[in-house]
Amino acid sequence: MTKVTTKSDSMQHATEMAVDLFDNWFDPIETEVRARARQFIEELIRGELDSALARPRYERSKIAGNEAGSCVTGHRHGSRTRSLTGTFGPIEIAVPRARLTTPDGGTSEWKSQALRAYQRRTLAADALIASSYLAGTNTRRVRRALAALFGGTVGKDTVSRTWRKVKGDWDAWNSRSLADEPIVRLILDGTVVRVRLDRKATSISLLVVLGVRADGQKVLLAIKSMGGESAEAWRTVLGDLIKRGLKRPEFLIVDGAPGLDKAIATVWDGVPVQRCTVHKHRNLLAHAPERLHDEITADYNDMIYATTPEEIAACRKAFLRKWRLKHRAVADSLEEAGDRLFTFARLPPSQWRSLRTTNAIERLHEEFKRRIKTQTVLPSADTAAMMFWALLASGQISMRKVDDWQTLATKPIDQPIDLAA
């Protein structure tokens, strides 16, 4: 009689195969490495205790005479078993115990400095868990992905606790002094993310500030979670930077948000400001039907990517004359930006590429959102900001120097290009 295999039988068989797959993969190399790891850790801790007692186990102190008695600082009393998980996997180790003599004649329990009290994982294991989380994997998937390495000892709560350990470094970074940072340029922009607030998914803004040092290296200076990009929100961010010692920058690159412009006028009035040309391009397209987009883009690029200030001015005049007649809303949108759209022309042409846009931050926004896509809604506003910072702090994302950084010492010329139309 032929046995009929149902869909549920097939799924059960597949599940059993998946469970057995890695269980049957015996690896003598890994087994030997774990055994040697156990031996090494136990010898390390025993050596630490020998130093504390000034004598090896079962031996007298090597110091002769009465001095030997005075060097006896305690006594051993057995050992206890501890579980430890590292990049070598989970192992059981025997940790020696001892009582140390205190100055008042009493005794206290000896504590290893290499293996902290209640430590169940090595710092490298915690770093591996946190890095997996930062790579865009949620807590449950981290647990599953690392199950084979850690022998199933890493649960969802372990991932969450490990991530909370990062918060100490995050708090220190947020309060660090900026007085010695040789910042000459700032790039400012915001992005919207979804977080859980009062058990409901809520949109918040992450306000990001990148600095450019005198040597051209871009660095993250601030990332704050705010309700929006209002002037007050940006003033809070900029005020905190100034409070921590940030010097007045020589050049600013912004996305054109009205709130940011007002905040800058309050704290750094007179600093040259470059309006992001990519954001303005999007504004122009939003004011026109789709059939005109390619034509607008071609005319706009002729103007923005011109090679001299004089050519930029001529192309701008031609753009305005044409689009005032063809679609006035586009011309009005361009005029709204004023000379801030062309502030980059006041510096050497070799720097124009890095000056025209906030792309340095936009790329970070894109990478950040790609990493959190699997989580849909982040646990909290603080977690969102901390994750953004951790991607850079951990090296998951790196930033290169700006183009032609050797000429950063060049000051912007006082006279902007002629925009008379």
Side-chain angles (χ1 to χ4, degrees):
M1 182 176 179
T2 303
K3 181 179 178 181
V4 178
T5 302
T6 65
K7 185 177 180 180
S8 60
D9 291 334
S10 300
M11 292 178 63
Q12 181 178 357
H13 179 67
T15 302
E16 291 172 352
M17 288 292 291
V19 172
D20 293 338
L21 178 61
F22 295 113
D23 290 344
N24 294 334
W25 284 14
F26 173 74
D27 190 331
I29 296 176
E30 287 284 349
T31 301
E32 185 64 22
V33 166
R34 294 189 185 193
R36 294 293 179 91
R38 180 187 301 109
Q39 179 183 357
F40 171 78
I41 294 171
E42 290 178 348
E43 289 179 356
L44 176 67
I45 298 175
R46 284 198 297 268
E48 188 181 3
L49 179 57
D50 291 346
S51 297
L53 296 177
R55 66 184 188 279
R57 192 179 184 187
Y58 305 125
E59 293 186 19
R60 295 178 179 275
S61 173
K62 295 181 180 180
I63 302 175
N66 295 331
E67 293 181 5
S70 63
C71 289
V72 175
T73 58
H75 62 276
R76 294 175 174 83
H77 64 103
S79 63
R80 63 179 180 275
T81 302
R82 288 270 299 272
S83 299
L84 182 67
T85 299
T87 54
F88 42 76
I91 59 173
E92 298 284 332
I93 58 175
V95 180
R97 303 181 67 184
R99 301 291 298 182
L100 300 181
T101 303
T102 59
D104 60 3
T107 61
S108 63
E109 185 73 14
W110 173 75
K111 295 180 180 179
S112 169
Q113 297 300 311
L115 183 65
R116 303 184 307 277
Y118 307 109
Q119 182 181 352
R120 293 293 178 264
R121 294 179 307 280
T122 64
L123 294 178
D126 283 346
L128 178 59
I129 294 170
S131 295
S132 299
Y133 187 66
L134 284 172
T137 306
N138 60 32
T139 54
R140 290 181 178 84
R141 290 179 180 176
V142 170
R143 171 175 55 96
R144 294 168 188 162
L146 299 180
L149 175 62
F150 292 139
T153 59
V154 175
K156 174 175 171 290
D157 292 340
T158 301
V159 179
S160 297
R161 285 195 299 271
T162 301
W163 178 246
R164 285 196 292 270
K165 286 184 179 180
V166 180
K167 192 174 186 303
D169 291 338
W170 160 249
D171 291 337
W173 181 82
N174 268 317
S175 59
R176 76 200 186 288
S177 171
L178 300 175
D180 295 329
E181 281 282 9
I183 301 298
V184 296
R185 185 184 301 173
L186 293 184
I187 310 170
L188 308 96
D189 197 6
T191 189
V192 177
V193 295
R194 302 270 287 173
V195 302
R196 202 172 304 283
L197 188 62
D198 292 335
R199 300 183 179 180
K200 294 182 180 179
T202 306
S203 295
I204 65 162
S205 292
L206 293 180
L207 306 187
V208 183
V209 181
L210 289 186
V212 178
R213 292 180 177 141
D215 64 357
Q217 181 59 54
K218 294 190 288 285
V219 292
L220 182 65
L221 294 180
I223 167 101
K224 299 286 186 184
S225 57
M226 294 288 182
E229 295 192 52
S230 65
E232 187 57 39
W234 274 112
R235 270 197 296 268
T236 299
V237 175
L238 301 183
D240 180 65
L241 292 175
I242 294 171
K243 181 180 178 181
R244 290 191 281 129
L246 182 68
K247 299 179 179 66
R248 181 183 175 92
E250 299 173 3
F251 200 92
L252 302 171
I253 307 172
V254 303
D255 62 353
L260 177 54
D261 287 340
K262 292 178 182 177
I264 289 173
T266 302
V267 299
W268 289 319
D269 189 28
V271 174
V273 176
Q274 168 63 44
R275 178 89 169 261
C276 176
T277 57
V278 171
H279 282 80
K280 175 46 67 177
H281 180 220
R282 295 171 189 161
N283 293 155
L284 297 180
L285 298 183
H287 285 83
E290 189 173 352
R291 66 180 180 81
L292 296 177
H293 285 187
D294 288 345
E295 189 177 357
I296 293 171
T297 298
D299 292 344
Y300 184 75
N301 287 344
D302 287 344
M303 171 177 55
I304 295 301
Y305 297 109
T307 56
T308 66
E310 294 75 19
E311 188 180 348
I312 291 173
C315 288
R316 179 182 179 276
K317 293 175 184 178
F319 186 101
L320 290 174
R321 281 196 301 268
K322 174 180 178 178
W323 289 100
R324 277 173 184 158
L325 297 174
K326 192 162 188 174
H327 199 81
R328 188 172 184 86
V330 174
D332 290 343
S333 180
L334 181 68
E335 286 190 300
E336 176 272 330
D339 60 0
R340 284 190 167 192
L341 194 62
F342 308 99
T343 311
F344 67 86
R346 296 166 60 183
L347 283 163
S350 56
Q351 291 189 31
W352 288 6
R353 182 180 177 185
S354 62
L355 289 169
R356 282 190 291 244
T357 71
T358 57
N359 281 356
I361 291 183
E362 291 287 340
R363 284 191 287 269
L364 296 182
H365 291 337
E366 291 172 3
E367 185 63 20
F368 174 62
K369 290 185 177 181
R370 185 182 71 80
R371 302 297 182 98
I372 66 173
K373 186 166 58 177
T374 59
Q375 303 179 55
T376 309
V377 179
L378 295 173
S380 68
D382 288 341
T383 299
M386 188 164 65
M387 281 191 67
F388 194 109
W389 159 80
L391 286 171
L392 286 162
S394 66
Q396 297 263 346
I397 299 176
S398 59
M399 294 186 291
R400 63 179 181 84
K401 291 186 176 184
V402 299
D403 295 332
D404 197 40
W405 58 269
Q406 296 89 343
T407 62
L408 281 176
T410 305
K411 305 299 180 184
I413 61 174
D414 293 332
Q415 181 61 43
I417 65 173
D418 182 13
L419 296 183

